[in-house]
Amino acid sequence: MDNDTSSQERPAYNDLTPQESKVIISKSTEYPFTGLYEKFTAKGTYLCKQCGSALYHSETKFDASCGWPSFDDEIEGAVLRLPDADGERTEIICASCRGHLGHVFEDGPKPTGLRYCINSVSLDFRPDSDD
């Protein structure tokens, strides 16, 4: 029986800039109020910068005035929650590639009461076809 695992390649991920890698791989945070998507209002879907998986729909984005793009709901099964190293926050990562996205807080708008606070550099955007 052949146990060669060389044919089991790592999934193809997008190339990351040094800043994107620092946030997505090393779990850093971009400076507040500097990200491309913080005040972005186009209609479409936000994707994981590393693997391209769909994470959030624009209809769930809101202005939390916190300095980062904020969403009140995720695409079902798109993110995983982990206790943050500081023991006080909940980290969210992409369920597909495990890349760091940001944190989720329980101070968002109804009906979910959640605020997914995401680093812009962790995101790509695919506009709706009618935009």
Side-chain angles (χ1 to χ4, degrees):
M1 183 165 140
D2 187 3
N3 288 329
D4 180 17
T5 59
S6 62
S7 64
Q8 296 176 351
E9 296 179 17
R10 183 184 141 193
Y13 291 147
N14 297 316
D15 291 333
L16 301 176
T17 67
Q19 175 63 18
E20 291 164 351
S21 183
K22 184 177 176 183
V23 171
I24 296 168
I25 306 299
S26 301
K27 301 184 180 205
S28 186
T29 301
E30 68 187 351
Y31 289 109
F33 304 103
T34 62
L36 172 65
Y37 297 118
E38 195 243 336
K39 297 288 184 189
F40 195 75
T41 59
K43 303 286 187 221
T45 303
Y46 292 86
L47 313 172
C48 175
K49 176 68 95 171
Q50 180 167 249
C51 72
S53 294
L55 302 170
Y56 303 97
H57 294 298
S58 59
E59 294 82 21
T60 65
K61 190 172 186 295
F62 70 100
D63 184 1
S65 300
C66 65
W68 294 275
S70 297
F71 304 85
D72 69 355
D73 206 1
E74 68 193 62
I75 293 174
E76 186 174 345
V79 303
L80 300 174
R81 298 175 187 203
L82 304 170
D84 200 52
D86 67 12
E88 296 185 23
R89 299 178 298 171
T90 301
E91 178 189 9
I92 49 177
I93 62 172
C94 174
S96 296
C97 69
R98 306 302 198 257
H100 175 73
L101 302 171
H103 295 87
V104 64
F105 303 94
E106 295 181 358
D107 62 0
K110 296 211 182 286
T112 67
L114 299 174
R115 174 174 53 99
Y116 293 83
C117 191
I118 309 299
N119 292 287
S120 282
V121 299
S122 295
L123 299 172
D124 260 336
F125 182 76
R126 182 179 60 223
D128 284 347
S129 58
D130 59 341
D131 276 357

